[in-house]
């Protein structure tokens, strides 16, 4: 069987690194975005997503079967920042977390349509898309809610062409971002809000991403999968 060709964004650490490693172990051919992978790109910059897609296509011999949009930032923007700084933080988060993912998704859909074959899109969103986040993270929650809505829209729009879309909504996951936030917000108090009693491991999120990328049945398209230890149930 021909291995799946997969682009994973934000794969230099944390959840993205775990996803890339899990897909590689499953036999996929993975092009990772991040400084450790050689496909570096600053997704806060206009044009970076298109350039990344072109370089990933070249690295994967002109074929990408699955796109995993994982790249994201979690940066505080307190309400009392001055106007310009608050807006700059909002726009940076939206650009990286949502706009770049949308650009890459659009390029992927065009690629699959031009090739006349199916493809899969896996978007790593967040529990915050449904539950919201801290008062300093309006922008983060909004960007992840947008990612979920985009995933559902793509699933509905292109299922008949064999183009499938899934979203994953982790809660706290033991990455650098989560560790910093847990420390700043009082780790024990936050853990008490998770019935499972611990945050997720990146490998747990990666296992779900692998399933969506390689195994999920087509009728599952449009699904949003929670990974939050029952800290938010829908």
């Amino acid at each position: 069987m021909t291995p799946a060709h997969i682009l994973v964004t934000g794969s230099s650490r944390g959840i993205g690194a775990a996803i890339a490693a899990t897909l590689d172990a499953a036999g996929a051919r993975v092009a990772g975005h991040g400084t450790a992978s050689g496909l570096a790109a600053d997704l806060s910059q206009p044009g970076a997503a298109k350039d990344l897609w072109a370089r990933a296509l070249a690295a994967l011999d002109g074929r990408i079967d699955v796109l995993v949009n994982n790249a994201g930032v979690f940066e505080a923007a307190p309400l009392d920042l001055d106007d310009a700084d608050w807006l700059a933080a909002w726009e940076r988060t939206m650009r990286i977390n949502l706009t770049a993912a949308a650009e890459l998704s659009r390029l992927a859909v065009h690629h699959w349509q031009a090739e006349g074959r199916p493809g899969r899109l896996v978007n790593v969103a967040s529990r915050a898309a449904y539950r919201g986040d801290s008062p300093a993270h309006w922008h983060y929650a909004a960007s992840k809610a947008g990612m979920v809505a985009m995933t559902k829209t793509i699933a509905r729009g292109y299922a008949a062409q064999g183009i499938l879309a899934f979203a994953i909504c982790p809660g706290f996951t033991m990455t650098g971002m989560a560790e910093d936030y847990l420390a700043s917000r009082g780790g024990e108090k936050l853990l008490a809000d998770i019935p499972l009693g611990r945050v997720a491991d990146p490998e747990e999120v990666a296992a779900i991403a692998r399933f969506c990328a390689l195994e999920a049945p087509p009728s599952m398209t449009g699904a949003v999968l929670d990974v939050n230890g029952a800290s938010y149930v829908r």
Side-chain angles (χ1 to χ4, degrees):
M1 181 181 295
T2 304
H5 289 198
I6 303 178
L7 169 59
V8 180
T9 69
S11 65
S12 63
R13 63 188 179 97
I15 290 173
I19 290 173
T22 298
L23 290 169
D24 182 72
R29 186 172 169 190
V30 179
H33 151 241
T35 55
S37 71
L39 290 179
D42 180 357
L43 294 178
S44 70
Q45 299 301 309
K50 185 175 182 180
D51 179 66
L52 172 62
W53 177 264
R55 287 184 289 122
L57 263 182
L60 294 171
D61 301 328
R63 191 186 95 233
I64 293 175
D65 304 305
V66 181
L67 167 64
V68 180
N69 279 314
N70 168 75
V73 293
F74 183 80
E75 298 168 346
L79 205 60
D80 57 0
L81 284 179
D82 70 47
D83 292 349
D85 289 344
W86 188 88
L87 183 58
W90 180 281
E91 292 182 341
R92 170 176 159 80
T93 290
M94 287 295 176
R95 162 64 63 179
I96 296 172
N97 291 11
L98 183 57
T99 304
E103 291 180 276
L104 288 165
S105 298
R106 177 173 176 264
L107 290 164
V109 170
H110 276 316
H111 174 63
W112 297 324
Q113 287 176 329
E115 296 287 322
R117 55 187 179 75
R120 292 186 178 225
L121 176 67
V122 182
N123 286 326
V124 180
S126 170
R127 175 186 73 171
Y130 290 97
R131 176 174 147 150
D133 213 287
S134 83
H137 293 91
W138 292 12
H139 52 347
Y140 179 79
S143 70
K144 294 303 187 176
M147 180 175 267
V148 169
M150 179 178 72
T151 304
K152 293 179 178 182
T153 302
I154 292 170
R156 288 175 57 80
Y158 308 102
Q161 299 171 41
I163 296 171
L164 312 178
F166 310 93
I168 303 171
C169 285
F172 286 113
T173 306
M174 196 45 68
T175 67
M177 288 192 298
E179 288 167 355
D180 292 344
Y181 190 71
L182 281 166
S184 69
R185 302 282 291 179
E188 291 303 316
K189 183 178 178 180
L190 284 178
L191 288 176
D193 190 40
I194 304 174
L196 187 62
R198 63 171 178 83
V199 299
D201 292 323
E203 289 75 18
E204 292 181 287
V205 182
I208 296 172
R210 179 196 56 75
F211 174 70
C212 291
L214 301 176
E215 299 175 6
S219 288
M220 230 183 86
T221 191
V224 181
L225 304 176
D226 294 327
V227 197
N228 63 48
S231 59
Y232 185 77
V233 293
R234 295 181 286 123

